[in-house]
Amino acid sequence: MTTASDIDRTPAVTSLRRKDLLGIGDLSSEEITLVLHTAEAMKEVGTRPIKKVPALRGKTVVNLFFEPSTRTRTSFEIAEKRLSADTLNIAIGTSSVVKGETLADTALNLEAMSPDMIVLRHSSSGACHFLSRICRSAIINAGDGMHEHPTQALLDAFTIRERKKQLAGLKVAIIGDLLHSRVLRSNIQLLTKMGAHVWVCGPPTLIPTDIRRFGVEATSFVDEAIVDADVIMLLRIQLERMEGAYFPSLREYFRVFGMTEERLRLARPDVMIMHPGPMNRGVEIASEVADGPYSVILDQVANGVAVRMAVLYLLAGGTDEEAA
Amino acid sequence: MKKLLRGGRVIDPSNGVDGVQDVLISDDRIERVGRDLPADGATIVEIPAGLIVCPGFIDMHVHLREPGQEHKETVATGTAAAVAGGFTAVACMPNTVPVNDNANVTSLILAKAAEASLARVYPIGAVSKGSKGELLADIAELKQAGCVAITDDGHPVRTALLLRRALEYAGMFGMPVIEHCEDPTLKGDGVAHEGFHAASLGLRGIPGACEALGVERGVLLSELTGSTFHVAHMSARASIRAVRKGKDAGVRVTCEVAPHHFTLTDEALAAPIPYDTNVKMNPPLRESADRDAMIAGIADGTVDVIATDHAPHHYDEKKVEFDHAPFGIVGLETAVSLSLDRLVHAGVIRLSRLVELLSVNPARVLGVPGGSLAPGAPADITVIAPDLKVRVHAARMRSRSKNTPFDGWELRGGVAATIVGGRTLFTNPDTPIAHL
């Protein structure tokens, strides 16, 4: 059971006995606690004058990105380097792959060079499951289609826990394009597993079927979602494909769902504002909110490195005791 | 040459036969069915106890892929799969390359079928030239070349107007129009049933209403034109409702359900193998309420036909991300076992109803010979072993493609022998009949 100050508790498990991190869906609450706990030790590494530990020395990590990404790819790369892994980045436009080599062949060719881990970002849901079935290397999901983005949910949880000391009992409102969001799918699984009360909110055209079966409350009335919220998480609206199709205009979206200072007054006075990025200022979030005192958006980015270090370290067979 | 099948339980619903009877075959025709027929110089084939002699099964929805996609299947490999699966005849869909929209393609398919000389092949022609949904194909020419129905399968007929005209025109020859029912705008780029599992796995959804809209459209146009409209591979409960309503109103609508749609649900997307491309087909596996509605429709008579939508795809084509894999699974070699296990042994229907679904009704819908063991009928016979323990081995299938979600499944009931035109083309080594 998660208690009031779970940040100080020693995790019930000390290692991740699994080959891959494909999604939050696979993790137990004990394993989530372990990652978050380990990330605290990793965060300390980032404060040292020499930000490097030898934990992954001699290990090879391939960052295989089939979709453009700045934040996630950089964050993984820094995490890998701080752990002394040998890293290489492969960025492949999906289009060139469609013309030529299949994902399976690309992965098997990489495998032939014996990497230890593959960090995969891909536009198709399930691409990581597919690779995990054909690769011996550990697969870390850095975002697959609309499915999951587990390290994002872990860094979000880490950031919330840093401020609130706990996840259980918090009201977390997640607002935006729920339908296409892998961040949503990872976050609702993590937060509900850890005992938070999750509300999701968006236009009815962007709410996935049967979303309540995830154990969340769903509404299209933003005030209902954010009243007394401890945490508000905004999700990105994909400008290019949304306007006119899922809602009439960006202007109208902002009017109905945009997070403004005025709306924020409904939330708790110590509310945290989060966004996984990249942000559309003036669409899902007003600039005054994004840059305001409640925003922890840059803390999320900073914590991403520590959380990814923890995931890499634990999947490589590290234990919590050694990390501490 | 005469052959006497002796001692088996014969189920021939069109002639009201269900009991231990003998079947006398003379060359490629049935001569007589009756009790204790005299051997009269015929070769005697003893049918072991427990086996059942039925009019040959007909799969009216098969993709043989020839011409054009012979790496997936050919007429020869597809008809080999058919006889191994208990089917004495198949009707093949026109979405070949090129499309079967003219007599040349139809004749090529029939020539290949004659060369293979296995299951009978009834080509189905395209509704429109190139199945593009613009101009009607030369339907009279197709009919004359041997096509038994028309469809733009793979897609719905593009407009209501074209479907109306196809129904009117094909009605002149008594040919049914078979429709892949789907509203293309609701399907969009969907890859799985729009439900909890697709939402959870992040797969783009196809709602049941997408299919039912197409069914409603067809039923209305069938009523308008008075022609026969046949709903292919039905999957959604709202579609069953639309067909039932049409039938109640006297509309000439018939429909088929594929074994995977009365067996599996969209849970198969998540487990046992998450994102298994062998559970990707269109229409998709739907939720349990839909699956149960298919079973109810089979039980209450709303469903006319079980057809497989046998859709072979090469190993390489399915070994990709879920989004990129083609829709479809093979079905010819698992349909009879799934039907016996899930429908007969589950207590949904009796064997005689199964014979209607697999033989009598497809023959009636397509207007082809078969579906009966009456004197003079073709000697097309399927012998089934309803209690045989069957284990599905994808690698051993006759089909050139092995894209089945049922690999390794253990089922009760299978095929003992397949006889086409008096020739025994398949005997199952796991049944006593093999040792005769």
Side-chain angles (χ1 to χ4, degrees):
Chain A
M1 206 190 124
T2 320
T3 55
S5 60
D6 61 13
I7 195 158
D8 300 321
R9 285 173 68 231
T10 308
V13 292
T14 56
S15 62
L16 276 187
R17 296 180 192 284
R18 54 178 65 249
K19 171 177 161 281
D20 310 306
L21 177 63
L22 303 178
I24 296 297
D26 305 330
L27 296 182
S28 65
S29 60
E30 289 78 18
E31 288 174 306
I32 291 165
T33 305
L34 170 67
V35 173
L36 300 180
H37 196 261
T38 308
E40 285 159 26
M42 295 300 172
K43 188 165 182 179
E44 187 272 325
V45 172
T47 64
R48 297 179 192 173
I50 299 189
K51 302 179 178 59
K52 207 172 181 82
V53 290
L56 293 190
R57 196 163 58 197
K59 302 276 185 191
T60 307
V61 184
V62 177
N63 299 314
L64 182 58
F65 277 61
F66 288 88
E67 266 189 349
S69 159
T70 312
R71 205 176 335 266
T72 304
R73 194 182 56 69
T74 312
S75 178
F76 266 107
E77 194 179 346
I78 292 174
E80 290 151 9
K81 291 194 159 138
R82 286 193 181 162
L83 292 170
S84 308
D86 297 316
T87 71
L88 64 145
N89 297 315
I90 305 177
I92 306 175
T94 311
S95 58
S96 64
V97 166
V98 169
K99 282 183 219 148
E101 197 169 52
T102 64
L103 175 59
D105 283 337
T106 303
L108 290 173
N109 277 279
L110 287 172
E111 275 264 299
M113 297 179 254
S114 308
D116 298 283
M117 296 184 175
I118 297 174
V119 177
L120 179 71
R121 158 73 61 96
H122 197 282
S123 58
S124 288
S125 301
C128 297
H129 286 80
F130 175 63
L131 275 207
S132 80
R133 285 199 288 273
I134 57 178
C135 290
R136 279 170 287 113
S137 318
I139 306 293
I140 299 177
N141 185 353
D144 64 324
M146 302 162 16
H147 175 230
E148 279 227 41
H149 191 354
T151 57
Q152 178 71 44
L154 287 163
L155 74 87
D156 289 342
F158 185 88
T159 307
I160 297 170
R161 226 174 62 142
E162 242 183 357
R163 294 275 175 119
K164 306 283 185 190
K165 308 297 172 206
Q166 58 167 356
L167 296 167
L170 296 180
K171 178 176 179 181
V172 182
I174 308 178
I175 302 163
D177 174 3
L178 310 173
L179 185 63
H180 301 99
S181 177
R182 53 192 171 215
V183 175
L184 172 89
R185 286 171 177 78
S186 287
N187 258 309
I188 58 181
Q189 293 188 77
L190 189 153
L191 292 166
T192 53
K193 260 178 201 172
M194 303 306 284
H197 302 303
V198 181
W199 282 72
V200 299
C201 174
T205 49
L206 288 171
I207 299 182
T209 318
D210 284 345
I211 186 83
R212 288 181 182 83
R213 272 178 68 182
F214 284 104
V216 302
E217 304 280 351
T219 179
S220 288
F221 299 100
V222 71
D223 290 355
E224 191 183 12
I226 65 177
V227 66
D228 294 329
D230 297 286
V231 178
I232 297 173
M233 207 177 274
L234 287 328
L235 299 176
R236 173 180 164 74
I237 293 295
Q238 296 191 11
L239 304 176
E240 54 288 354
R241 67 172 172 194
M242 290 289 145
E243 198 167 15
Y246 290 91
F247 49 80
S249 67
L250 295 176
R251 183 167 163 269
E252 182 156 310
Y253 183 87
F254 184 69
R255 186 198 302 264
V256 182
F257 296 98
M259 196 47 53
T260 58
E261 285 186 311
E262 189 193 353
R263 261 194 187 123
L264 266 191
R265 291 189 204 117
L266 287 170
R268 292 177 64 88
D270 58 348
V271 67
M272 295 168 69
I273 298 291
M274 306 179 79
H275 194 303
M279 268 188 289
N280 298 302
R281 293 169 178 266
V283 180
E284 65 264 8
I285 187 165
S287 277
E288 304 78 64
V289 174
D291 303 331
Y294 306 109
S295 169
V296 294
I297 294 170
L298 294 175
D299 296 359
Q300 291 173 267
V301 179
N303 289 334
V305 175
V307 165
R308 289 177 176 119
M309 285 171 76
V311 167
L312 290 157
Y313 170 76
L314 290 167
L315 282 182
T319 65
D320 186 42
E321 285 99 341
E322 289 160 9
Chain B
M1 205 197 115
K2 295 196 181 193
K3 206 183 273 182
L4 183 67
L5 309 187
R6 201 157 73 178
R9 177 178 165 197
V10 176
I11 300 183
D12 179 16
S14 12
N15 296 296
V17 175
D18 184 352
V20 176
Q21 306 241 328
D22 299 341
V23 178
L24 182 63
I25 298 168
S26 176
D27 297 320
D28 60 346
R29 302 265 150 192
I30 303 286
E31 186 169 311
R32 244 181 103 191
V33 175
R35 263 183 236 287
D36 303 320
L37 297 182
D40 217 8
T43 310
I44 293 173
V45 180
E46 295 285 351
I47 303 294
L51 300 193
I52 294 166
V53 178
C54 315
F57 295 165
I58 300 168
D59 187 346
M60 66 174 287
H61 197 126
V62 169
H63 297 270
L64 292 178
R65 305 297 190 205
E66 193 174 6
Q69 296 181 305
E70 293 83 354
H71 64 292
K72 298 176 193 250
E73 192 82 285
T74 63
V75 173
T77 58
T79 51
V83 295
F87 291 101
T88 57
V90 296
C92 61
M93 290 291 146
N95 60 340
T96 46
V97 184
V99 169
N100 183 13
D101 62 0
N102 66 77
N104 290 334
V105 179
T106 309
S107 305
L108 175 90
I109 293 167
L110 288 172
K112 294 280 180 186
E115 197 180 302
S117 193
L118 293 164
R120 295 177 199 275
V121 174
Y122 297 112
I124 294 172
V127 164
S128 61
K129 289 197 171 71
S131 278
K132 289 198 171 103
E134 287 155 11
L135 307 167
L136 286 176
D138 289 347
I139 294 166
E141 176 186 299
L142 288 166
K143 163 88 178 167
Q144 200 169 26
C147 286
V148 296
I150 53 170
T151 184
D152 274 350
D153 186 57
H155 308 280
V157 174
R158 202 168 63 87
T159 65
L161 178 62
L162 190 69
L163 179 57
R164 175 199 176 158
R165 294 201 169 133
L167 281 162
E168 286 171 336
Y169 195 82
M172 168 167 70
F173 312 108
M175 285 167 103
V177 176
I178 300 172
E179 175 76 330
H180 170 118
C181 293
E182 171 181 294
D183 180 282
T185 64
L186 280 182
K187 175 174 177 283
D189 52 4
V191 295
H193 170 64
E194 186 177 297
F196 172 74
H197 292 287
S200 162
L201 294 167
L203 296 173
R204 284 181 291 274
I206 306 170
C210 168
E211 175 182 285
L213 263 181
V215 177
E216 297 274 11
R217 179 179 86 159
V219 169
L220 288 169
L221 294 175
S222 173
E223 186 177 28
L224 177 69
T225 59
S227 298
T228 303
F229 178 73
H230 179 81
V231 182
H233 47 52
M234 205 163 46
S235 67
R237 55 192 192 267
S239 302
I240 287 271
R241 205 161 59 216
V243 167
R244 196 176 281 135
K245 202 175 64 180
K247 286 188 168 188
D248 288 347
V251 178
R252 296 172 64 174
V253 55
T254 55
C255 67
E256 71 192 32
V257 171
H260 49 270
H261 285 129
F262 65 66
T263 303
L264 295 171
T265 67
D266 60 350
E267 275 184 55
L269 296 166
I273 305 171
Y275 301 98
D276 183 2
T277 55
N278 283 335
V279 299
K280 180 177 176 181
M281 67 286 285
N282 186 26
L285 297 176
R286 299 206 183 270
E287 54 204 52
S288 52
D290 295 297
R291 193 256 323 261
D292 295 348
M294 296 306 118
I295 293 173
I298 286 168
D300 72 15
T302 307
V303 174
D304 298 279
V305 170
I306 292 172
T308 63
D309 193 10
H310 178 82
H313 290 294
H314 192 271
Y315 166 86
D316 284 340
E317 295 165 318
K318 282 287 196 179
K319 197 184 170 188
V320 294
E321 302 87 318
F322 195 89
D323 283 344
H324 299 164
F327 292 105
I329 62 169
V330 292
L332 281 167
E333 291 167 83
T334 46
V336 169
S337 291
L338 287 167
S339 300
L340 286 165
D341 190 284
R342 296 304 162 117
L343 300 176
V344 176
H345 295 307
V348 176
I349 54 170
R350 298 159 68 91
L351 276 169
S352 59
R353 168 77 177 134
L354 184 66
V355 175
E356 288 174 6
L357 290 159
L358 284 168
S359 177
V360 180
N361 294 348
R364 175 174 54 82
V365 171
L366 293 176
V368 298
S372 161
L373 297 177
D380 292 0
I381 292 169
T382 302
V383 183
I384 56 174
D387 293 310
L388 182 71
K389 281 178 76 172
V390 169
R391 191 181 160 87
V392 179
H393 286 284
R396 291 189 206 158
M397 286 180 171
R398 268 70 161 186
S399 172
R400 182 161 281 179
S401 297
K402 322 292 178 194
N403 49 315
T404 174
F406 301 114
D407 192 25
W409 279 43
E410 290 184 356
L411 298 164
R412 184 174 160 204
V415 177
T418 309
I419 300 168
V420 181
R423 297 179 304 136
T424 305
L425 297 180
F426 172 76
T427 52
N428 187 338
D430 299 333
T431 59
I433 205 165
H435 306 298
L436 294 172

